[in-house]
Amino acid sequence: MTKRERQNALYAAVEKAVATKSELTFPEAVKGYSVEVMQKDFLLPELYWMDEKRNVYQVWCRIETRSKLGLPGLFVVGSVTLDGFSSGDLSMITPKTRYQTIV
């Protein structure tokens, strides 16, 4: 599997978790993907989305216990701009708004 295919699989997993407000489950194709750890929170490097004002975002994930069984899971809890401003807004996390360079 190419790097682009792995990245697309991860984009799809994040977008599904946001759309369904469910736990983020990494697809088998991206096992071993490294995350950027910030205390109890995580950013997923190399995945970016852009809003209508052309602000670029990364998703902000956190390990939380939401299940009735009390088991922890990884959830998308917000978004962060590249200059560090955070938001709970996840409306731009869709396949149509994936940020890609044109080089």
Side-chain angles (χ1 to χ4, degrees):
M1 182 173 270
T2 68
K3 181 179 177 181
R4 174 69 74 184
E5 290 169 331
R6 288 178 49 214
Q7 188 176 39
N8 285 337
L10 190 52
Y11 267 119
V14 170
E15 291 157 356
K16 179 182 178 185
V18 168
T20 60
K21 297 180 181 174
S22 61
E23 181 179 351
L24 172 57
T25 304
F26 287 93
E28 190 64 35
V30 298
K31 293 293 184 191
Y33 181 83
S34 63
V35 297
E36 183 179 328
V37 180
M38 312 175 331
Q39 307 257 339
K40 297 177 188 176
D41 299 340
F42 302 85
L43 293 178
L44 301 177
E46 300 179 20
L47 297 180
Y48 305 100
W49 290 265
M50 188 177 354
D51 67 11
E52 68 282 346
K53 296 179 184 174
R54 301 190 53 80
N55 295 307
V56 178
Y57 294 86
Q58 288 181 278
V59 290
W60 174 11
C61 302
R62 178 179 295 148
I63 295 175
E64 295 184 346
T65 303
R66 293 187 184 178
S67 76
K68 293 178 183 177
L69 298 174
L71 300 173
L74 184 62
F75 293 88
V76 178
V77 296
S79 58
V80 179
T81 61
L82 298 181
D83 53 358
F85 291 98
S86 63
S87 165
D89 183 15
L90 295 171
S91 63
M92 80 294 294
I93 310 300
T94 66
K96 290 182 180 180
T97 58
R98 292 178 186 174
Y99 177 80
Q100 296 181 5
T101 58
I102 304 171
V103 178

